[in-house]
Amino acid sequence: MIEHEQISMDVVFVGAGPANLAAALHLKSEIIKHDELIEKGLKQGKAIGDLEIAIVEKGSFVGAHILSGAVMDPKAIRELMPDFLAQGCPVDTVVTDDAAWYLTEKRCLVAPITPPPLKNKGKYIVSLSNICEWLGEKCEEAGINIFPEFPAAEVLYDENDAVIGVRTGDKGIDKEGKRKPNFEPGVDLLAKVTVLGEGSRGSLAKQLVARLGLDQGKEEQVFSLGVKELWEVPSGNFPEGMVVHTLGFPSDTRTYGGGWIYGLKNNVVSIGYVTGLDYEDPMIDPHAEFQKFKTHPKVAEILAGGKMIKYGAKSINTSGYYTMPKLFADGVLIVGDSASFLNGQRIKGIHTAMKSGMLAAETIVGAFEHDDFSSRTLRHYEEKVNLSWIYDELHPVRNFHAAFQKGRWSALINTGLQFLTKGLAWGFMPHEHHVPGYERMQKLDDGVSNGKRYADLKFDKELTFDKVTDVFYGAVAHDEDQPPHLHVLDTEICATRCAEEYGNPCQRFCPAAVYEMEDSAETGRKELKVNFSNCVHCKTCDIADPYQIINWVTPEGGGGPNYKGM
Ligand SMILES: Cc1cc2nc3c(=O)[nH]c(=O)nc-3n(C[C@H](O)[C@H](O)[C@H](O)COP(=O)(O)OP(=O)(O)OC[C@H]3O[C@@H](n4cnc5c(N)ncnc54)[C@H](O)[C@@H]3O)c2cc1C
């Protein structure tokens, strides 16, 4: 039996992403505002005083596990901190031009007009990792406690299923489950309100939603995987401030996918490719899709003579409004990507994540004012969301991703119609239900795959890289002497049904070469080998496995990628 020390806080935020960092900062300033108004007699009620606020983060520092494109819509950060630029927010570049390209195998058709959702002039190209690191410093200056290397491993509940905090992961357990000399038990961080902002496919949010049925009456979330590299290119290859989005090659018309190329300062280019994790062909490999994207003549031209400097991959919650769970329960709120706040049409979620955090903060002020941390008070968060610009932005595009499940062309026609009618046309059309990706993947004998998709793809280590090389550029590290954090619940399925039916797609959908089928002399067949130390924490395996038998849990704190500058 492990004894866990209990530490009482007022509010605990799980995850130091834009959602929770904005939430914690806003909470601090809203309390100050509230108390000043009470003191001056301009508001009725009671003062709240200084709250103990903690943010726990599994990465080795704030920003270590943050990966984004990223073009940031400054709408939310401007509300949070109107003088964010004067305060030193490390935006990289202002977007000065944008374009949409349709790629065929060899050609590039430049759209005469950039579709409005992809217009970005005046917004900021950023490293979201750097922005979060900076927001973390702002939080610390404001007196918020930040604990990097502290994964929240479990939600704590009272006897009535109200959330009362989280348990952080134990440190110093070896791969056999025994205590090492550096053993430190996890801590029970007790809180009146716990806010889950773990990003896409949060591991605690998944547990919470299932246990409390917060997804009842909602559609299941659908995800994509973004695979990204940072490149240094020769001067003149790609202009600073330029934002390009692409459609077409190498995706087929049944598979959701698209690329981006953003020009940062000092001839650095952010390049990446998003593949819907609701693809039908089990032979699809999102990392290989990205590598193939770079071989397109128009794209390869930009990278020619350059060098890759950083790699990463992360899932994106692309299904939006219809797939948002209930956002509150007793003692708990869910913010940001964990609650599907991303606008899939724009692939933008930084501003909506931050705004959701700020609305959560305003709700928490009300909860402390009334000393009521139950759903009765916390439900105001969902009301605030539905009265905010988040609703105005997400509701009109609520069917965007589901339409893509019918194929690219019908989706584009739908999108055009929705744009012209500001989403009203959805009202006259059959409701498009989101089908989870693991249900859409077809079996090998269904004939969707010809097995030749990557026949021409070679990894030359100049333009194209294999997964293991890329993982090296993600600076990924986990102590190998710990229990694996990727729980495959039934490996017999891997060696038998999955091998026959889908050809073990985990070997392809994982962008970090974590899963391998290896010949076993003992059983005389191929068995699953899990190289968990390669894991980039993208959560794809937890999402895409067709049998849903992979459970991603938090590894020992501090392990994982280092996305500084990404
Ligand atoms: C490839 C890619 C490109 C994108 N491009 C853009 C773009 O150009 N513009 C845009 O606006 N948006 C973009 N997005 C989306 C945007 O990055 C997200 O919407 C946004 O980061 C969500 O913020 P969040 O705070 O909800 O989660 P995240 O940014 O994912 O942060 C979550 C944090 O919580 C931590 N965490 C998770 N679980 C735990 C746990 N149990 N214990 C402790 N810590 C935990 C993680 O380590 C992480 O630091 C992109 C996303 C991806 C993946």
Side-chain angles (χ1 to χ4, degrees):
M1 246 318 250
I2 296 176
E3 294 234 331
H4 298 273
E5 186 192 348
Q6 294 195 334
I7 300 180
S8 290
M9 308 294 301
D10 291 300
V11 185
V12 168
F13 292 95
V14 176
N20 269 347
L21 292 163
L25 264 182
H26 196 56
L27 178 59
K28 267 282 177 188
S29 62
E30 286 295 294
I31 291 170
I32 293 170
K33 255 196 242 161
H34 168 87
D35 285 2
E36 275 175 5
L37 289 176
I38 300 278
E39 203 183 310
K40 288 183 186 150
L42 296 171
K43 189 175 176 184
Q44 289 201 326
K46 65 169 184 126
I48 295 172
D50 208 17
L51 296 185
E52 279 298 337
I53 303 172
I55 305 179
V56 291
E57 166 55 48
K58 63 181 165 62
S60 55
F61 61 92
V62 172
H65 291 180
I66 299 289
L67 180 105
S68 196
V71 173
M72 179 175 75
D73 183 330
K75 201 169 175 175
I77 200 166
R78 220 171 247 151
E79 286 180 19
L80 177 71
M81 210 187 283
D83 59 345
F84 67 103
L85 291 177
Q87 288 208 42
C89 179
V91 300
D92 188 278
T93 314
V94 179
V95 179
T96 47
D97 203 359
D98 43 21
W101 295 353
Y102 187 85
L103 303 180
T104 64
E105 212 172 321
K106 296 276 172 240
R107 300 192 55 205
C108 168
L109 312 170
V110 179
I113 306 166
T114 304
L118 299 181
K119 283 195 171 150
N120 287 293
K121 260 190 213 172
K123 300 190 174 62
Y124 296 97
I125 303 177
V126 301
S127 150
L128 188 60
S129 169
N130 290 356
I131 298 269
C132 286
E133 200 174 359
W134 175 79
L135 280 171
E137 287 161 16
K138 289 281 160 204
C139 283
E140 286 188 317
E141 282 167 22
I144 295 157
N145 306 288
I146 301 196
F147 301 107
E149 300 203 356
F150 272 84
E154 229 181 283
V155 180
L156 300 172
Y157 302 88
D158 71 7
E159 59 289 356
N160 299 317
D161 261 355
V163 173
I164 53 166
V166 291
R167 175 167 294 168
T168 64
D170 298 329
K171 284 190 178 154
I173 305 261
D174 73 12
K175 54 181 177 226
E176 313 295 342
K178 298 202 188 78
R179 296 177 188 191
K180 296 194 277 190
N182 65 343
F183 172 72
E184 268 179 50
V187 174
D188 285 354
L189 281 173
L190 305 179
K192 298 188 174 93
V193 185
T194 301
V195 185
L196 300 184
E198 304 170 278
S200 168
R201 191 63 153 204
S203 49
L204 296 196
K206 180 181 154 185
Q207 290 173 26
L208 177 91
V209 167
R211 175 165 170 152
L212 303 184
L214 301 183
D215 54 353
Q216 264 172 31
K218 313 282 178 164
E219 292 182 20
E220 220 171 303
Q221 297 185 349
V222 180
F223 299 83
S224 299
L225 177 63
V227 184
K228 167 179 175 180
E229 289 169 354
L230 274 186
W231 279 67
E232 263 168 24
V233 298
S235 170
N237 276 28
F238 195 76
E240 175 181 325
M242 178 75 185
V243 161
V244 170
H245 289 107
T246 76
L247 198 64
F249 179 85
S251 284
D252 57 81
T253 55
R254 306 270 321 151
T255 305
Y256 177 83
W260 80 82
I261 311 168
Y262 302 157
L264 287 94
K265 277 202 191 90
N266 303 322
N267 302 310
V268 173
V269 166
S270 159
I271 178 163
Y273 201 81
V274 173
T275 300
L277 290 174
D278 51 354
Y279 53 79
E280 295 172 336
D281 178 354
M283 298 310 281
I284 283 185
D285 176 330
H287 172 270
E289 294 287 298
F290 171 51
Q291 299 304 320
K292 225 173 139 179
F293 168 64
K294 289 187 294 171
T295 65
H296 189 280
K298 183 81 178 171
V299 181
E301 192 177 68
I302 294 167
L303 303 177
K307 66 170 188 210
M308 191 262 286
I309 51 175
K310 217 135 172 80
Y311 169 78
K314 196 164 190 286
S315 63
I316 313 172
N317 194 332
T318 26
S319 48
Y321 189 77
Y322 279 138
T323 64
M324 288 168 110
K326 188 172 150 196
L327 300 173
F328 63 93
D330 292 335
V332 69
L333 300 172
I334 316 178
V335 297
D337 274 13
S338 293
S340 210
F341 271 102
L342 180 131
N343 177 343
Q345 191 185 52
R346 298 171 72 201
I347 305 275
K348 280 197 175 52
I350 302 170
H351 63 304
T352 42
M354 290 179 99
K355 180 69 178 175
S356 70
M358 291 162 72
L359 296 173
E362 289 164 23
T363 309
I364 295 169
V365 172
F368 276 92
E369 205 184 340
H370 298 105
D371 245 333
D372 179 357
F373 309 101
S374 71
S375 297
R376 228 184 353 258
T377 312
L378 296 186
R379 77 186 156 83
H380 294 312
Y381 168 49
E382 199 159 292
E383 291 162 10
K384 285 178 196 290
V385 167
N386 285 327
L387 289 171
S388 73
W389 54 253
I390 295 186
Y391 177 89
D392 299 340
E393 181 171 333
L394 296 189
H395 193 256
V397 297
R398 62 199 178 279
N399 262 323
F400 174 78
H401 191 90
F404 267 91
Q405 295 189 330
K406 301 243 176 333
R408 185 187 296 156
W409 302 122
S410 77
L412 290 180
I413 293 166
N414 273 340
T415 304
L417 264 176
Q418 300 329 311
F419 185 74
L420 291 173
T421 64
K422 293 200 187 317
L424 277 179
W426 292 126
F428 305 107
M429 295 166 81
H431 178 114
E432 306 275 359
H433 288 277
H434 293 84
V435 181
Y438 60 85
E439 276 182 15
R440 279 175 49 87
M441 192 185 283
Q442 307 286 297
K443 294 184 177 151
L444 286 173
D445 61 11
D446 288 347
V448 286
S449 183
N450 66 10
K452 299 207 174 93
R453 199 171 179 105
Y454 308 114
D456 298 336
L457 181 64
K458 306 269 177 302
F459 300 120
D460 62 11
K461 298 207 181 191
E462 282 186 10
L463 175 64
T464 50
F465 302 90
D466 57 89
K467 289 182 186 175
V468 174
T469 307
D470 259 339
V471 166
F472 174 79
Y473 283 89
V476 184
H478 290 92
D479 182 348
E480 297 203 12
D481 191 15
Q482 65 171 300
H485 66 282
L486 299 158
H487 297 175
V488 183
L489 306 180
D490 184 352
T491 49
E492 186 57 24
I493 291 186
C494 311
T496 55
R497 280 181 61 196
C498 188
E500 279 160 32
E501 293 179 341
Y502 298 98
N504 299 112
C506 57
Q507 301 177 100
R508 293 176 291 280
F509 57 58
C510 168
V514 166
Y515 298 95
E516 266 181 82
M517 293 304 288
E518 222 184 26
D519 286 323
S520 159
E522 207 178 302
T523 60
R525 61 184 190 187
K526 283 191 189 292
E527 300 288 346
L528 182 69
K529 182 176 171 222
V530 180
N531 306 307
F532 76 87
S533 56
N534 279 2
C535 176
V536 291
H537 295 205
C538 68
K539 317 275 179 75
T540 299
C541 52
D542 191 296
I543 294 163
D545 168 46
Y547 303 95
Q548 290 291 283
I549 53 168
I550 304 179
N551 202 19
W552 191 100
V553 302
T554 47
E556 193 171 290
N562 177 341
Y563 287 149
K564 194 174 175 64
M566 284 287 261

